[in-house]
Amino acid sequence: MQCVFVQIRCKPGTGYEVADEIAKREIHSELYSTSGDYDLLMKMYLSEDKDIGKFINDHVLDIKGIERTYTTLTFKAF
């Protein structure tokens, strides 16, 4: 499994709605509200054969209220 972190910037006033929609889709392992440039931090695991960009495009970026995302791929856990 690939561990992927996605930071999500929401349009003003839509953070809770975006978080609720992510929760309904059950695509995450963990989801946090954060401070800083992004509003939410989502951790998810994808199978090795999944195309990460396509998955995010198909399952995350169509959520109303998302303004921008920043994806971080992980490698070895220590």
Side-chain angles (χ1 to χ4, degrees), residues 12-66:
T14 65
Y16 285 100
E17 290 84 5
V18 171
D20 287 343
E21 184 60 30
I22 291 170
K24 287 178 191 172
R25 294 179 183 207
E26 298 181 351
I27 57 174
H28 67 290
S29 169
E30 300 171 44
L31 182 63
Y32 299 96
S33 174
T34 60
S35 62
D37 291 335
Y38 291 84
D39 303 298
L40 300 171
L41 175 64
M42 177 173 61
K43 179 181 182 182
M44 60 183 175
Y45 291 94
L46 298 175
S47 61
E48 295 290 335
D49 64 330
K50 291 277 188 193
D51 180 320
I52 296 167
K54 181 161 177 36
F55 184 88
I56 292 171
N57 195 48
D58 292 348
H59 297 93
V60 178
L61 295 181
D62 66 333
I63 296 173
K64 185 177 178 183
I66 291 181

